[in-house]
Each structure stands twice: as structure tokens, then as C-alpha cells.
Amino acid sequence: SEPRGELQLHSAERGERAHDMALQVLDAVSSHARAGRSLEDFCRRLGGTVAGLVSAQQVLFWRLRDDRTLAPVAGHGVPRPVLARLTPTRCEPDGDELASQVVHHDLIFRASRADSPSDYAFVLDTLGVDTALSVPWRAGDLRLGLVAAYQSTRPGGFTWEDTWTLQQAGLAAGLVTQVWMTQEDLDKTVDRLTKVDAARQLLLKNMTAVVERERKRIVAELHDDALQKLTAA
């Protein structure tokens, strides 16, 4: 076993490395948020950066939908055919499923086929990977989904530092996502108000046309009536 001093030094080095990776994640989130054209584009860009930091071949963001299912949004290294094959899964606040526990109860899921026994081999089989790591994707109490890393390139699989880095990515991305969602709601509101204003303008135009038509009819009737009386006289 390592001497106590070496263990403390090793622990300090790991902590420093994790801190440095977290700073890199925050910097990446900031730059990708400015460059991203949409939420999917942002997730794709950030997924590529995070994959490099945690030594994963694949990083994927899963978003919680209104129907309480979890569906893949975008990520890095996941082929489109594989992405299309991944079906939404149930994700309830009081559910016992793995996804529900990660999203709603902050469970950190880490699994590898090298684990003996492998309690989550069926999950790895479903995803078609040998190693997996997933953490919540949230903004405070707002649960957005989860972010997952697959296929670690490290001999021993995903590490504690990888877990910490992915957690920071999930939290920072959550704040950006909340901004995207607010912007989407604002855009929808502006679009709705624009349509309402267009309908109002059309109504005013139609009313103006009706009033003008009635005015002309009344003028014509008065003119004809006056002409008839004059003729009679």
C-alpha cells in the first residue's frame, strides 16, 4: 500500500485535476452557448468538448419531455442510425427506473462490463456499450434530463474525476438550457402577439371597408331619393 503522505499527495493531485477539468467545462459551456445556433447545436458542441475531457467516445444529452419520457436530443460520437434506434423511456418523479432515479433523485450511474457481478449489464446491452456514466441535467430544481458518457477510453473505465466533470457539465448546461427555453417561450409569445396584431389589422381593414361600402350605399340612396322627389315636383 502507498504511504500516507503519498496517498494525500495523490488525492490532492486528483482534486486539482478535477478542479481544472471543471473550469474547462465552464469555459466550454460559455463559448458554445454563444456559438450555438440552437439547443441541439449547443449540446452537440458541448458533447464534443466533454467527450475529450472525460475520455469518452460518446456523449449524449437526454431531455425530459412533457409526456414524462426521456428522449435523446444530441451529442457527440453517436452515429445517426444508433441515435434513431434509441427509443424514449419512461421517467417519472416517483419512478423506480434507473432513468427516473438519475433525473429526479440525482443518482450518479456508473457501470462497466468489467464489474463483477455486473448489475447493470442489461442497461449496457440496451445501449450497446461497454462502459457508461450518467448524471442529472438540471437547472436548480428544474429537471431537464440527463447527460451520459459512453465507451471510456481509459483502461479502468470512467473515474471519479470524470464523474465530477460530467456533473459540472450537466449543471452548467442546465443554466444555458433554461435560457434557451426562456428564449423559445419569448419567441412563441412574440409570434402569437404578431399573429393577433395581424388579425386585428385585418379586422380593422374589413370594418373600414364595410363602413365605406355602407356610406356609399346611403349616399346613393339619398341621391336617388332626392332625384325622385325633384322629378315628382
Side-chain angles (χ1 to χ4, degrees):
S1 60
E2 296 182 78
R4 182 184 181 90
E6 291 184 8
L7 284 174
Q8 291 178 338
L9 178 61
H10 182 62
S11 178
E13 290 176 346
R14 291 184 65 186
E16 185 176 348
R17 187 162 59 251
H19 176 70
D20 180 62
M21 292 171 69
L23 290 178
Q24 292 183 58
V25 165
L26 295 177
D27 181 64
V29 168
S30 177
S31 62
H32 293 324
R34 291 194 302 269
R37 297 183 297 273
S38 64
L39 179 59
E40 290 76 13
D41 185 46
F42 166 73
C43 290
R44 194 174 298 110
R45 291 170 180 268
L46 182 58
T49 300
V50 172
L53 291 174
V54 303
S55 297
Q57 293 181 12
Q58 303 170 353
V59 170
L60 185 60
F61 286 82
W62 293 73
R63 187 170 179 180
L64 184 62
R65 306 192 302 188
D66 293 337
D67 61 356
R68 291 187 175 181
T69 61
L70 202 64
V73 178
H76 168 81
V78 183
R80 288 188 178 275
V82 175
L83 195 62
R85 193 171 66 244
L86 296 174
T87 57
T89 181
R90 298 301 304 172
C91 187
E92 303 282 353
D94 56 351
D96 295 329
E97 302 87 355
L98 179 60
S100 300
Q101 292 297 311
V102 173
V103 174
H104 295 290
H105 301 286
D106 298 327
L107 172 71
I108 305 301
F109 171 71
R110 186 168 60 186
S112 171
R113 292 192 188 277
D115 296 340
S116 183
S118 180
D119 296 331
Y120 295 104
F122 71 97
V123 177
L124 300 177
D125 289 340
T126 300
L127 296 169
V129 298
D130 296 320
T131 52
L133 172 65
S134 60
V135 300
W137 174 17
R138 63 185 178 88
D141 293 331
L142 179 62
R143 305 290 167 165
L144 301 168
L146 63 82
V147 54
Y150 308 119
Q151 299 295 73
S152 172
T153 59
R154 305 184 196 276
F158 292 111
T159 65
W160 172 82
E161 293 93 334
D162 297 333
T163 303
W164 169 255
T165 301
L166 202 62
Q167 280 182 298
Q168 301 310 303
L171 291 172
L175 297 177
V176 173
T177 303
Q178 193 171 28
V179 173
W180 278 106
M181 292 171 64
T182 302
Q183 183 62 49
E184 288 176 356
D185 291 341
L186 180 60
D187 291 342
K188 290 178 181 178
T189 300
V190 171
D191 183 61
R192 186 165 57 250
L193 291 176
T194 301
K195 291 179 179 178
V196 169
D197 184 64
R200 184 180 66 85
Q201 294 292 342
L202 180 61
L203 178 61
L204 288 175
K205 183 178 180 180
N206 290 337
M207 289 180 63
T208 301
V210 170
V211 170
E212 180 64 18
R213 188 165 57 249
E214 285 298 303
R215 185 188 69 80
K216 290 180 178 180
R217 183 183 64 79
I218 293 173
V219 168
E221 288 181 353
L222 289 175
H223 179 270
D224 292 344
D225 185 60
L227 183 62
Q228 289 176 3
K229 289 181 179 179
L230 182 61
T231 301

